[in-house]
Amino acid sequence: MESKNAPISPELLLKLRKALLSWFQKNKRDLPFRINKNAYRIWVSEIMLQQTRVAAMLPIYETFLERFPDPNSLKEASEDEVMKYWKGLGYYSRARNLKKGAGLLVEKFSGEFPKNYDDALSIPGVGSYTASAVLSIAYGKHHAVLDGNVKRVLSRLFLIEEDPLLNSTNQLLGNLAQEFLTPDSAGDHNEAMMELGALVCVPIPICESCPLIDHCEAKAAGKEREIPVSKSVDNWIDLDLHFLFLRSKNQILLLKYSGRRFFKTIYSLPFRLEGKHPYEKDSISEELFEESRLNTHPHRTKHSITNHRIQLKFSDILEEDRTRIEKILNKKQDVLFKWVREEDLKEEFPSSISGKLIKLKNKTIKQPELPVGKL
């Protein structure tokens, strides 16, 4: 194969493109966002798939689109409702940007996802990858995508041994992706590259199933498992996330405010960060966590958010004087609060953490001992 710094020969390009697209037509997954090449639906799918696996995203995607079938319905919905339909996907800033973007589509682009690349980049939460994906798949525009799967395929195919975190490597891969792109089938080509990386050219590659094996430089060099250069994650932060079931009049307290570390855009149980971590104390949570009244439960469970390894735990406090708590919160700027029934927690606190806390709580409930029978 030609040097990665030289143009790919037309003959080789033709072979690679033909093999890739032929494989894709025979092996592509039957996914709902591929049925209708509607730009809005594709945009929603691409935002949901950021940081989320397809299997976890699909049921939420279909329910979300049933409720918000077009940009206007998403624009007109309340943020709280959007967050409820986003529940289970995490990274809630994506949902907030999606709602803002829907407003922009309605107000500036007549309710349609724009066909111009620069206009697409003006939409909140849309970067070069998402813009390229939507424009190529929905409109056939000649923009190559470059996500983790595509980078892995290109790195092996063209034996790119440089650090994938370097800007120069990223630029090189971007140039190769654009050169490799099939001119008259840009959308299918991009989907095929992503699909190949997701199903075959995985971290431990299934080379015998790859349509490009005869032209893969990494395979020829026996380096298919070494490329891309592995990245070590050494910036993990370990912390305890301590939640509070503050009860009053058979209801529990939920808070929402942008000044805290997590859950900036949704209601959650009050919580504080514990353990060795680099973050400042949250004065609001500190005021609610009265140590003398805490009933801390012994069980723990694990969770992760971005580069955080988290241990979840919780405590209870029974508050007879609800107005005392409300006076504390009313003095705080930008703090929203509400009292909800505990059985509504999963709906009102739309995060997988609420489900984990409920399981953890149920684990602490001792089953009554059965009476011992007489002999």
Side-chain angles (χ1 to χ4, degrees):
M1 187 177 288
E2 283 81 353
S3 165
K4 52 184 170 278
N5 295 313
I8 308 169
S9 74
E11 294 80 11
L12 182 56
L13 272 178
L14 187 63
K15 288 180 182 178
L16 292 173
R17 290 167 176 165
K18 184 177 180 180
L20 176 69
L21 291 174
S22 176
W23 172 86
F24 180 61
Q25 292 304 319
K26 295 174 184 175
N27 296 279
K28 64 180 177 181
R29 289 170 290 181
D30 185 17
L31 301 174
F33 46 85
R34 287 179 175 157
I35 297 171
N36 183 345
K37 298 295 186 180
N38 173 280
Y40 169 72
R41 295 172 59 88
I42 294 168
W43 171 48
V44 171
S45 74
E46 291 296 341
I47 298 299
M48 285 188 170
L49 285 169
Q50 294 169 7
Q51 310 289 338
T52 306
R53 294 185 180 277
V54 171
M57 165 269 203
L58 285 179
I60 298 170
Y61 171 77
E62 297 191 86
T63 304
F64 190 92
L65 284 178
E66 284 177 9
R67 171 60 187 87
F68 311 113
D70 51 52
N72 191 64
S73 59
L74 182 54
K75 171 185 177 292
E76 295 299 323
S78 70
E79 185 174 292
D80 284 348
E81 185 181 15
V82 174
M83 293 304 174
K84 287 179 183 178
Y85 278 85
W86 193 265
K87 181 181 176 182
L89 292 175
Y91 302 93
Y92 289 91
S93 60
R94 294 181 295 167
R96 190 171 68 251
N97 282 332
L98 202 59
K99 177 171 165 50
K100 289 179 182 176
L104 188 63
L105 295 192
V106 172
E107 294 161 10
K108 188 176 179 181
F109 300 110
S110 302
E112 298 289 337
F113 195 94
K115 297 182 179 181
N116 177 274
Y117 184 78
D118 290 334
D119 286 340
L121 290 178
S122 72
I123 299 170
V126 172
S128 59
Y129 163 77
T130 304
S132 297
V134 177
L135 294 182
S136 63
I137 298 169
Y139 302 133
K141 299 290 185 178
H142 197 73
H143 297 289
V145 299
L146 194 65
D147 69 349
N149 286 328
V150 175
K151 288 180 181 180
R152 189 164 55 250
V153 172
L154 291 172
S155 293
R156 287 170 174 162
L157 184 60
F158 296 100
L159 195 61
I160 308 298
E161 299 184 88
E162 288 80 1
D163 185 348
L165 294 179
L166 294 176
N167 288 335
S168 57
T169 309
N170 201 61
Q171 182 64 51
L172 172 60
L173 291 170
N175 292 340
L176 284 170
Q178 195 64 34
E179 186 180 1
F180 186 19
L181 189 63
T182 306
D184 56 353
S185 301
D188 282 350
H189 180 108
N190 280 332
E191 288 197 87
M193 287 290 284
M194 292 186 282
E195 194 83 329
L196 187 64
L199 301 181
V200 176
C201 199
V202 290
I204 299 177
I206 311 169
C207 294
E208 61 274 14
S209 299
C210 181
L212 309 180
I213 186 172
D214 292 339
H215 307 285
C216 179
E217 287 195 16
K219 179 65 176 176
K223 295 183 176 181
E224 65 274 14
R225 293 197 177 197
E226 301 170 23
I227 294 175
V229 178
S230 62
K231 299 169 284 186
S232 61
V233 179
D234 56 3
N235 63 336
W236 285 102
I237 297 172
D238 293 298
L239 57 82
D240 290 342
L241 212 50
H242 188 171
F243 286 89
L244 181 63
F245 283 79
L246 198 159
R247 306 174 187 281
S248 181
K249 300 178 183 177
N250 296 319
Q251 292 182 309
I252 54 177
L253 178 69
L254 298 185
L255 303 179
K256 180 169 76 167
Y257 54 99
S258 60
R260 55 188 180 176
R261 180 67 196 176
F262 303 114
F263 311 116
K264 297 173 184 285
T265 61
I266 62 173
Y267 281 95
S268 79
L269 292 167
F271 65 89
R272 68 181 180 186
L273 308 180
E274 299 178 344
K276 294 181 180 179
H277 60 79
Y279 310 122
E280 294 183 4
K281 286 187 176 181
D282 180 344
S283 62
I284 297 170
S285 67
E286 292 299 323
E287 204 160 350
L288 295 175
F289 277 77
E290 299 177 59
E291 297 297 339
S292 62
R293 302 173 63 202
L294 280 183
N295 177 21
T296 301
H297 292 256
H299 296 291
R300 307 285 186 268
T301 192
K302 294 180 180 179
H303 190 74
S304 62
I305 301 175
T306 326
N307 63 326
H308 295 80
R309 286 185 295 230
I310 294 172
Q311 183 172 243
L312 301 177
K313 64 180 182 179
F314 74 93
S315 295
D316 285 294
I317 286 181
L318 180 61
E319 178 57 61
E320 298 293 346
D321 185 6
R322 180 182 290 196
T323 57
R324 185 183 74 83
I325 297 297
E326 293 179 352
K327 283 179 181 178
I328 293 173
L329 297 175
N330 282 325
K331 292 178 183 177
K332 309 294 183 181
Q333 273 194 334
D334 302 323
V335 175
L336 300 176
F337 66 88
K338 60 182 174 180
W339 300 90
V340 304
R341 299 183 306 167
E342 186 170 336
E343 53 264 40
D344 295 332
L345 179 61
K346 288 182 74 172
E347 180 180 354
E348 298 287 352
F349 176 14
S351 165
S352 59
I353 283 181
S354 63
K356 290 185 177 182
L357 289 172
I358 290 169
K359 288 182 180 178
L360 201 61
K361 184 175 181 299
N362 290 337
K363 190 177 179 182
T364 69
I365 300 174
K366 291 184 178 180
Q367 298 299 321
E369 294 184 6
L370 295 174
V372 178
K374 294 181 180 180
L375 295 175

